DNA sequence: TGTACATCAGTGAACGCGCGTTCACTGATGTAC
DNA sequence: TGTACATCAGTGAACGCGCGTTCACTGATGTAC
């Protein structure tokens, strides 16, 4: 064994936060099942054993990391409705899974997860709808749910598809479709 | 060891088909990584060893099962645009993952899969778009991509969310939104 | 401020487990004559 | 049609591997006095 010094409380708190941040990125990149506890601790340059000083289980980390992902999501960043659509339905967002919207990154994974993770995801969905209410006040609640579903679906399909042109088409066409709808709803207001 | 009789070629061919069908269902229910080769063979009442008489690897089965799932998908069933939307965006479809649309069931899983599986999924997306072209000829290509994304997104979110009311709202609102759009585009034709 | 000692963040080996895949084996099926 | 033998579908144990979690241990940090 080598150099297993006790760290200060500040350092320990930083370790915990870093673990959540790393997990949040890795889970979005590779999916919840495909990231091991060792992967997360390894991303911090630490070994696996220390993990359980900070978290009760991998599942507890998953719920926390999922929640953390929402607070830095693309949907959370403000701006105009146009800018939001341009950013969300962009090739940059598509190619940056680890830093992108967790709604799209984890949508099928979450359906198979325990309640803590699903709760966290559900809160993220409500949060996303609330954000849309701010940037697109002209839409009804129902239209906003259709919009969120359209954005998440387009991004997820653009990532799944194995053809660059088709992938770009899904992003572009969803962008155009929803941009037009938002413009029309503004004009009616 | 017990009763390991050789089966006739017909029986063997049936075994292979059953394995693909069972895998297609299980993969959609639980995700590609969460179904083991033993699970698939077990669903046929067989043991794991015989698997490799039929398939080169689990990955080969995944690609085949994914392709098979498309040929029996809800999108593939014909009918009017209205009926298609009602069926796709229904609570029944939401709760029957194993028998439902693979586009929605596997959308985030597939992005992390090898090329064979992604190819199979991409073909399914093109197929879905072609089906939409038949039932909704009034839409442009771009609108059809936005529609497919909206359907897949709404179904996937309805499955992920941990709140029955919110889940039902996503299905209902997407159904209403797209039904209206289809009606409007028909009237213009 | 200085000293003695308890605490605990992180180490790295070990645990039991299930995975994908391989393998020697069984004995009915299929074929050559 | 009958016989001898090769084939091969399926068995079930075994392989190496990585997983989540536990544990005895180290030694600086934090605290009581």
């Amino acid at each position: 064994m080598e150099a297993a010094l006790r760290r200060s409380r500040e350092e320990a708190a930083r370790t915990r936060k870093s673990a959540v941040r790393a997990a949040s990125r890795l889970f979005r990149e590779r999916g919840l099942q495909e990231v091991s506890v060792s992967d997360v601790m390894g991303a911090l340059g630490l070994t696996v054993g220390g993990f359980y000083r900070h978290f009760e289980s991998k599942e507890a980390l998953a719920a926390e990391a999922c929640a953390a992902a929402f607070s830095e999501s693309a949907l959370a960043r403000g701006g105009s409705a146009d800018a939001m659509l341009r950013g969300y339905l962009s090739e940059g967002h598509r190619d940056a899974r680890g830093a992108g919207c967790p709604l799209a990154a984890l949508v099928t994974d979450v359906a198979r997860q325990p309640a803590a993770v699903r709760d966290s995801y559900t809160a993220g969905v409500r949060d996303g709808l609330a954000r849309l209410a701010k940037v697109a006040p002209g839409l009804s609640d129902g239209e906003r749910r259709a919009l969120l579903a359209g954005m998440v679906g387009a991004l997820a399909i653009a990532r799944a598809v194995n053809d660059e042109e088709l992938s770009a088409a899904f992003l572009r066409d969803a962008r155009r479709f929803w941009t037009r709808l938002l413009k029309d709803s503004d004009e009616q207001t």
Side-chain angles (χ1 to χ4, degrees), chain A residues 136-166:
Chain A
L139 298 185
S140 70
D141 282 359
E143 284 171 324
R144 257 180 255 124
R145 280 191 275 266
L147 165 59
L148 186 62
M151 291 168 64
V152 167
L155 183 59
I157 291 176
R159 282 170 176 160
V161 143
N162 206 8
D163 174 305
E164 174 59 33
E165 207 176 324
L166 185 61

PDB file of all heavy atoms in Angstrom, chain A residues 136-166:
ATOM      1  N   ALA A 136     -40.703  30.693 -24.020  1.00  0.00           N
ATOM      2  CA  ALA A 136     -41.797  30.607 -25.000  1.00  0.00           C
ATOM      3  C   ALA A 136     -43.137  30.769 -24.300  1.00  0.00           C
ATOM      4  O   ALA A 136     -43.956  29.850 -24.259  1.00  0.00           O
ATOM      5  CB  ALA A 136     -41.737  29.269 -25.741  1.00  0.00           C
ATOM      6  N   PRO A 137     -43.392  31.957 -23.779  1.00  0.00           N
ATOM      7  CA  PRO A 137     -44.631  32.169 -23.017  1.00  0.00           C
ATOM      8  C   PRO A 137     -45.880  32.124 -23.886  1.00  0.00           C
ATOM      9  O   PRO A 137     -46.981  31.994 -23.367  1.00  0.00           O
ATOM     10  CB  PRO A 137     -44.429  33.568 -22.406  1.00  0.00           C
ATOM     11  CG  PRO A 137     -43.460  34.245 -23.314  1.00  0.00           C
ATOM     12  CD  PRO A 137     -42.573  33.188 -23.872  1.00  0.00           C
ATOM     13  N   GLY A 138     -45.696  32.222 -25.215  1.00  0.00           N
ATOM     14  CA  GLY A 138     -46.849  32.207 -26.110  1.00  0.00           C
ATOM     15  C   GLY A 138     -47.453  30.829 -26.295  1.00  0.00           C
ATOM     16  O   GLY A 138     -48.574  30.698 -26.776  1.00  0.00           O
ATOM     17  N   LEU A 139     -46.738  29.787 -25.902  1.00  0.00           N
ATOM     18  CA  LEU A 139     -47.243  28.427 -26.092  1.00  0.00           C
ATOM     19  C   LEU A 139     -48.112  27.983 -24.917  1.00  0.00           C
ATOM     20  O   LEU A 139     -47.922  28.440 -23.792  1.00  0.00           O
ATOM     21  CB  LEU A 139     -46.076  27.442 -26.226  1.00  0.00           C
ATOM     22  CG  LEU A 139     -45.113  27.619 -27.398  1.00  0.00           C
ATOM     23  CD1 LEU A 139     -44.112  26.468 -27.422  1.00  0.00           C
ATOM     24  CD2 LEU A 139     -45.859  27.684 -28.724  1.00  0.00           C
ATOM     25  N   SER A 140     -49.029  27.068 -25.208  1.00  0.00           N
ATOM     26  CA  SER A 140     -49.818  26.468 -24.131  1.00  0.00           C
ATOM     27  C   SER A 140     -48.959  25.410 -23.421  1.00  0.00           C
ATOM     28  O   SER A 140     -47.924  24.993 -23.938  1.00  0.00           O
ATOM     29  CB  SER A 140     -51.062  25.795 -24.717  1.00  0.00           C
ATOM     30  OG  SER A 140     -50.675  24.638 -25.439  1.00  0.00           O
ATOM     31  N   ASP A 141     -49.409  24.968 -22.255  1.00  0.00           N
ATOM     32  CA  ASP A 141     -48.700  23.911 -21.528  1.00  0.00           C
ATOM     33  C   ASP A 141     -48.522  22.672 -22.395  1.00  0.00           C
ATOM     34  O   ASP A 141     -47.463  22.057 -22.416  1.00  0.00           O
ATOM     35  CB  ASP A 141     -49.500  23.512 -20.270  1.00  0.00           C
ATOM     36  CG  ASP A 141     -49.323  24.519 -19.144  1.00  0.00           C
ATOM     37  OD1 ASP A 141     -48.572  25.502 -19.325  1.00  0.00           O
ATOM     38  OD2 ASP A 141     -49.934  24.314 -18.077  1.00  0.00           O
ATOM     39  N   GLY A 142     -49.596  22.331 -23.091  1.00  0.00           N
ATOM     40  CA  GLY A 142     -49.550  21.139 -23.932  1.00  0.00           C
ATOM     41  C   GLY A 142     -48.559  21.286 -25.070  1.00  0.00           C
ATOM     42  O   GLY A 142     -47.819  20.361 -25.389  1.00  0.00           O
ATOM     43  N   GLU A 143     -48.543  22.451 -25.686  1.00  0.00           N
ATOM     44  CA  GLU A 143     -47.596  22.686 -26.782  1.00  0.00           C
ATOM     45  C   GLU A 143     -46.159  22.625 -26.278  1.00  0.00           C
ATOM     46  O   GLU A 143     -45.264  22.123 -26.971  1.00  0.00           O
ATOM     47  CB  GLU A 143     -47.859  24.046 -27.421  1.00  0.00           C
ATOM     48  CG  GLU A 143     -49.087  24.047 -28.337  1.00  0.00           C
ATOM     49  CD  GLU A 143     -49.464  25.454 -28.798  1.00  0.00           C
ATOM     50  OE1 GLU A 143     -49.308  26.413 -28.002  1.00  0.00           O
ATOM     51  OE2 GLU A 143     -49.927  25.592 -29.946  1.00  0.00           O
ATOM     52  N   ARG A 144     -45.955  23.090 -25.051  1.00  0.00           N
ATOM     53  CA  ARG A 144     -44.602  23.054 -24.486  1.00  0.00           C
ATOM     54  C   ARG A 144     -44.146  21.624 -24.227  1.00  0.00           C
ATOM     55  O   ARG A 144     -42.983  21.297 -24.396  1.00  0.00           O
ATOM     56  CB  ARG A 144     -44.567  23.880 -23.202  1.00  0.00           C
ATOM     57  CG  ARG A 144     -43.911  25.233 -23.425  1.00  0.00           C
ATOM     58  CD  ARG A 144     -43.900  26.023 -22.155  1.00  0.00           C
ATOM     59  NE  ARG A 144     -44.899  27.076 -22.215  1.00  0.00           N
ATOM     60  CZ  ARG A 144     -45.871  27.251 -21.330  1.00  0.00           C
ATOM     61  NH1 ARG A 144     -45.986  26.444 -20.299  1.00  0.00           N
ATOM     62  NH2 ARG A 144     -46.710  28.250 -21.489  1.00  0.00           N
ATOM     63  N   ARG A 145     -45.077  20.765 -23.832  1.00  0.00           N
ATOM     64  CA  ARG A 145     -44.703  19.361 -23.637  1.00  0.00           C
ATOM     65  C   ARG A 145     -44.374  18.706 -24.983  1.00  0.00           C
ATOM     66  O   ARG A 145     -43.418  17.943 -25.097  1.00  0.00           O
ATOM     67  CB  ARG A 145     -45.809  18.607 -22.902  1.00  0.00           C
ATOM     68  CG  ARG A 145     -45.756  18.862 -21.391  1.00  0.00           C
ATOM     69  CD  ARG A 145     -46.674  17.924 -20.612  1.00  0.00           C
ATOM     70  NE  ARG A 145     -48.033  18.439 -20.566  1.00  0.00           N
ATOM     71  CZ  ARG A 145     -48.516  19.184 -19.560  1.00  0.00           C
ATOM     72  NH1 ARG A 145     -47.764  19.462 -18.526  1.00  0.00           N
ATOM     73  NH2 ARG A 145     -49.748  19.628 -19.596  1.00  0.00           N
ATOM     74  N   ALA A 146     -45.157  19.053 -26.013  1.00  0.00           N
ATOM     75  CA  ALA A 146     -44.863  18.522 -27.349  1.00  0.00           C
ATOM     76  C   ALA A 146     -43.509  19.037 -27.839  1.00  0.00           C
ATOM     77  O   ALA A 146     -42.741  18.304 -28.479  1.00  0.00           O
ATOM     78  CB  ALA A 146     -45.971  18.910 -28.321  1.00  0.00           C
ATOM     79  N   LEU A 147     -43.216  20.291 -27.525  1.00  0.00           N
ATOM     80  CA  LEU A 147     -41.933  20.893 -27.909  1.00  0.00           C
ATOM     81  C   LEU A 147     -40.765  20.201 -27.214  1.00  0.00           C
ATOM     82  O   LEU A 147     -39.782  19.820 -27.853  1.00  0.00           O
ATOM     83  CB  LEU A 147     -41.947  22.394 -27.568  1.00  0.00           C
ATOM     84  CG  LEU A 147     -40.603  23.131 -27.566  1.00  0.00           C
ATOM     85  CD1 LEU A 147     -39.919  23.031 -28.924  1.00  0.00           C
ATOM     86  CD2 LEU A 147     -40.787  24.597 -27.165  1.00  0.00           C
ATOM     87  N   LEU A 148     -40.879  20.019 -25.898  1.00  0.00           N
ATOM     88  CA  LEU A 148     -39.795  19.348 -25.163  1.00  0.00           C
ATOM     89  C   LEU A 148     -39.567  17.937 -25.712  1.00  0.00           C
ATOM     90  O   LEU A 148     -38.430  17.520 -25.940  1.00  0.00           O
ATOM     91  CB  LEU A 148     -40.112  19.285 -23.659  1.00  0.00           C
ATOM     92  CG  LEU A 148     -38.984  18.734 -22.779  1.00  0.00           C
ATOM     93  CD1 LEU A 148     -37.748  19.607 -22.852  1.00  0.00           C
ATOM     94  CD2 LEU A 148     -39.440  18.571 -21.325  1.00  0.00           C
ATOM     95  N   ALA A 149     -40.657  17.216 -25.954  1.00  0.00           N
ATOM     96  CA  ALA A 149     -40.550  15.867 -26.516  1.00  0.00           C
ATOM     97  C   ALA A 149     -39.887  15.921 -27.892  1.00  0.00           C
ATOM     98  O   ALA A 149     -39.040  15.081 -28.216  1.00  0.00           O
ATOM     99  CB  ALA A 149     -41.929  15.223 -26.605  1.00  0.00           C
ATOM    100  N   GLY A 150     -40.242  16.917 -28.689  1.00  0.00           N
ATOM    101  CA  GLY A 150     -39.665  17.047 -30.035  1.00  0.00           C
ATOM    102  C   GLY A 150     -38.180  17.347 -29.996  1.00  0.00           C
ATOM    103  O   GLY A 150     -37.407  16.837 -30.816  1.00  0.00           O
ATOM    104  N   MET A 151     -37.771  18.166 -29.032  1.00  0.00           N
ATOM    105  CA  MET A 151     -36.350  18.500 -28.899  1.00  0.00           C
ATOM    106  C   MET A 151     -35.544  17.296 -28.425  1.00  0.00           C
ATOM    107  O   MET A 151     -34.486  16.965 -28.984  1.00  0.00           O
ATOM    108  CB  MET A 151     -36.193  19.653 -27.886  1.00  0.00           C
ATOM    109  CG  MET A 151     -36.724  20.985 -28.376  1.00  0.00           C
ATOM    110  SD  MET A 151     -36.832  22.232 -27.043  1.00  0.00           S
ATOM    111  CE  MET A 151     -35.101  22.423 -26.607  1.00  0.00           C
ATOM    112  N   VAL A 152     -36.039  16.647 -27.375  1.00  0.00           N
ATOM    113  CA  VAL A 152     -35.344  15.478 -26.816  1.00  0.00           C
ATOM    114  C   VAL A 152     -35.278  14.357 -27.855  1.00  0.00           C
ATOM    115  O   VAL A 152     -34.232  13.737 -28.046  1.00  0.00           O
ATOM    116  CB  VAL A 152     -36.058  15.001 -25.524  1.00  0.00           C
ATOM    117  CG1 VAL A 152     -35.576  13.625 -25.105  1.00  0.00           C
ATOM    118  CG2 VAL A 152     -35.841  16.012 -24.401  1.00  0.00           C
ATOM    119  N   GLY A 153     -36.390  14.132 -28.540  1.00  0.00           N
ATOM    120  CA  GLY A 153     -36.425  13.078 -29.555  1.00  0.00           C
ATOM    121  C   GLY A 153     -35.466  13.346 -30.695  1.00  0.00           C
ATOM    122  O   GLY A 153     -34.738  12.453 -31.126  1.00  0.00           O
ATOM    123  N   ALA A 154     -35.437  14.578 -31.168  1.00  0.00           N
ATOM    124  CA  ALA A 154     -34.570  14.908 -32.303  1.00  0.00           C
ATOM    125  C   ALA A 154     -33.095  14.759 -31.928  1.00  0.00           C
ATOM    126  O   ALA A 154     -32.303  14.189 -32.689  1.00  0.00           O
ATOM    127  CB  ALA A 154     -34.857  16.333 -32.786  1.00  0.00           C
ATOM    128  N   LEU A 155     -32.738  15.239 -30.760  1.00  0.00           N
ATOM    129  CA  LEU A 155     -31.343  15.126 -30.322  1.00  0.00           C
ATOM    130  C   LEU A 155     -30.945  13.665 -30.125  1.00  0.00           C
ATOM    131  O   LEU A 155     -29.872  13.232 -30.565  1.00  0.00           O
ATOM    132  CB  LEU A 155     -31.143  15.912 -29.016  1.00  0.00           C
ATOM    133  CG  LEU A 155     -29.722  15.965 -28.452  1.00  0.00           C
ATOM    134  CD1 LEU A 155     -28.746  16.588 -29.432  1.00  0.00           C
ATOM    135  CD2 LEU A 155     -29.697  16.715 -27.122  1.00  0.00           C
ATOM    136  N   ALA A 156     -31.820  12.901 -29.490  1.00  0.00           N
ATOM    137  CA  ALA A 156     -31.507  11.493 -29.220  1.00  0.00           C
ATOM    138  C   ALA A 156     -31.389  10.701 -30.521  1.00  0.00           C
ATOM    139  O   ALA A 156     -30.482   9.881 -30.675  1.00  0.00           O
ATOM    140  CB  ALA A 156     -32.574  10.889 -28.304  1.00  0.00           C
ATOM    141  N   ILE A 157     -32.304  10.943 -31.468  1.00  0.00           N
ATOM    142  CA  ILE A 157     -32.238  10.233 -32.743  1.00  0.00           C
ATOM    143  C   ILE A 157     -30.992  10.662 -33.516  1.00  0.00           C
ATOM    144  O   ILE A 157     -30.301   9.822 -34.114  1.00  0.00           O
ATOM    145  CB  ILE A 157     -33.515  10.476 -33.582  1.00  0.00           C
ATOM    146  CG1 ILE A 157     -34.714   9.793 -32.923  1.00  0.00           C
ATOM    147  CG2 ILE A 157     -33.330   9.948 -35.010  1.00  0.00           C
ATOM    148  CD1 ILE A 157     -36.044  10.056 -33.614  1.00  0.00           C
ATOM    149  N   ALA A 158     -30.667  11.953 -33.476  1.00  0.00           N
ATOM    150  CA  ALA A 158     -29.471  12.438 -34.178  1.00  0.00           C
ATOM    151  C   ALA A 158     -28.207  11.744 -33.654  1.00  0.00           C
ATOM    152  O   ALA A 158     -27.254  11.529 -34.397  1.00  0.00           O
ATOM    153  CB  ALA A 158     -29.340  13.949 -34.023  1.00  0.00           C
ATOM    154  N   ARG A 159     -28.228  11.380 -32.370  1.00  0.00           N
ATOM    155  CA  ARG A 159     -27.079  10.672 -31.795  1.00  0.00           C
ATOM    156  C   ARG A 159     -27.083   9.192 -32.129  1.00  0.00           C
ATOM    157  O   ARG A 159     -26.025   8.568 -32.198  1.00  0.00           O
ATOM    158  CB  ARG A 159     -27.091  10.823 -30.267  1.00  0.00           C
ATOM    159  CG  ARG A 159     -26.579  12.160 -29.790  1.00  0.00           C
ATOM    160  CD  ARG A 159     -26.839  12.326 -28.310  1.00  0.00           C
ATOM    161  NE  ARG A 159     -26.278  13.569 -27.803  1.00  0.00           N
ATOM    162  CZ  ARG A 159     -26.655  14.159 -26.675  1.00  0.00           C
ATOM    163  NH1 ARG A 159     -27.591  13.604 -25.933  1.00  0.00           N
ATOM    164  NH2 ARG A 159     -26.095  15.280 -26.293  1.00  0.00           N
ATOM    165  N   ALA A 160     -28.257   8.619 -32.303  1.00  0.00           N
ATOM    166  CA  ALA A 160     -28.351   7.173 -32.497  1.00  0.00           C
ATOM    167  C   ALA A 160     -28.049   6.767 -33.928  1.00  0.00           C
ATOM    168  O   ALA A 160     -27.484   5.707 -34.178  1.00  0.00           O
ATOM    169  CB  ALA A 160     -29.747   6.695 -32.115  1.00  0.00           C
ATOM    170  N   VAL A 161     -28.403   7.624 -34.843  1.00  0.00           N
ATOM    171  CA  VAL A 161     -28.354   7.296 -36.259  1.00  0.00           C
ATOM    172  C   VAL A 161     -26.917   7.265 -36.772  1.00  0.00           C
ATOM    173  O   VAL A 161     -26.082   8.049 -36.339  1.00  0.00           O
ATOM    174  CB  VAL A 161     -29.238   8.339 -36.991  1.00  0.00           C
ATOM    175  CG1 VAL A 161     -28.663   8.728 -38.309  1.00  0.00           C
ATOM    176  CG2 VAL A 161     -30.659   7.828 -37.090  1.00  0.00           C
ATOM    177  N   ASN A 162     -26.650   6.333 -37.654  1.00  0.00           N
ATOM    178  CA  ASN A 162     -25.290   6.065 -38.117  1.00  0.00           C
ATOM    179  C   ASN A 162     -24.999   6.729 -39.466  1.00  0.00           C
ATOM    180  O   ASN A 162     -24.257   6.188 -40.276  1.00  0.00           O
ATOM    181  CB  ASN A 162     -25.115   4.549 -38.242  1.00  0.00           C
ATOM    182  CG  ASN A 162     -23.683   4.127 -38.089  1.00  0.00           C
ATOM    183  OD1 ASN A 162     -22.830   4.941 -37.750  1.00  0.00           O
ATOM    184  ND2 ASN A 162     -23.412   2.860 -38.337  1.00  0.00           N
ATOM    185  N   ASP A 163     -25.605   7.861 -39.726  1.00  0.00           N
ATOM    186  CA  ASP A 163     -25.476   8.501 -41.031  1.00  0.00           C
ATOM    187  C   ASP A 163     -25.454  10.005 -40.786  1.00  0.00           C
ATOM    188  O   ASP A 163     -26.446  10.592 -40.345  1.00  0.00           O
ATOM    189  CB  ASP A 163     -26.681   8.105 -41.906  1.00  0.00           C
ATOM    190  CG  ASP A 163     -26.693   8.837 -43.237  1.00  0.00           C
ATOM    191  OD1 ASP A 163     -26.660  10.083 -43.237  1.00  0.00           O
ATOM    192  OD2 ASP A 163     -26.767   8.161 -44.274  1.00  0.00           O
ATOM    193  N   GLU A 164     -24.327  10.603 -41.054  1.00  0.00           N
ATOM    194  CA  GLU A 164     -24.106  12.014 -40.716  1.00  0.00           C
ATOM    195  C   GLU A 164     -25.172  12.924 -41.329  1.00  0.00           C
ATOM    196  O   GLU A 164     -25.672  13.837 -40.679  1.00  0.00           O
ATOM    197  CB  GLU A 164     -22.701  12.431 -41.181  1.00  0.00           C
ATOM    198  CG  GLU A 164     -22.366  13.906 -41.037  1.00  0.00           C
ATOM    199  CD  GLU A 164     -22.462  14.406 -39.581  1.00  0.00           C
ATOM    200  OE1 GLU A 164     -22.170  13.622 -38.662  1.00  0.00           O
ATOM    201  OE2 GLU A 164     -22.856  15.575 -39.394  1.00  0.00           O
ATOM    202  N   GLU A 165     -25.533  12.641 -42.574  1.00  0.00           N
ATOM    203  CA  GLU A 165     -26.493  13.501 -43.256  1.00  0.00           C
ATOM    204  C   GLU A 165     -27.880  13.415 -42.613  1.00  0.00           C
ATOM    205  O   GLU A 165     -28.527  14.443 -42.353  1.00  0.00           O
ATOM    206  CB  GLU A 165     -26.581  13.085 -44.728  1.00  0.00           C
ATOM    207  CG  GLU A 165     -26.991  14.204 -45.654  1.00  0.00           C
ATOM    208  CD  GLU A 165     -26.950  13.736 -47.111  1.00  0.00           C
ATOM    209  OE1 GLU A 165     -26.057  12.931 -47.472  1.00  0.00           O
ATOM    210  OE2 GLU A 165     -27.833  14.169 -47.881  1.00  0.00           O
ATOM    211  N   LEU A 166     -28.315  12.185 -42.349  1.00  0.00           N
ATOM    212  CA  LEU A 166     -29.626  11.992 -41.723  1.00  0.00           C
ATOM    213  C   LEU A 166     -29.644  12.597 -40.327  1.00  0.00           C
ATOM    214  O   LEU A 166     -30.618  13.234 -39.915  1.00  0.00           O
ATOM    215  CB  LEU A 166     -29.944  10.490 -41.652  1.00  0.00           C
ATOM    216  CG  LEU A 166     -31.329  10.105 -41.139  1.00  0.00           C
ATOM    217  CD1 LEU A 166     -32.421  10.662 -42.035  1.00  0.00           C
ATOM    218  CD2 LEU A 166     -31.459   8.580 -41.040  1.00  0.00           C
TER     219      LEU A 166
END
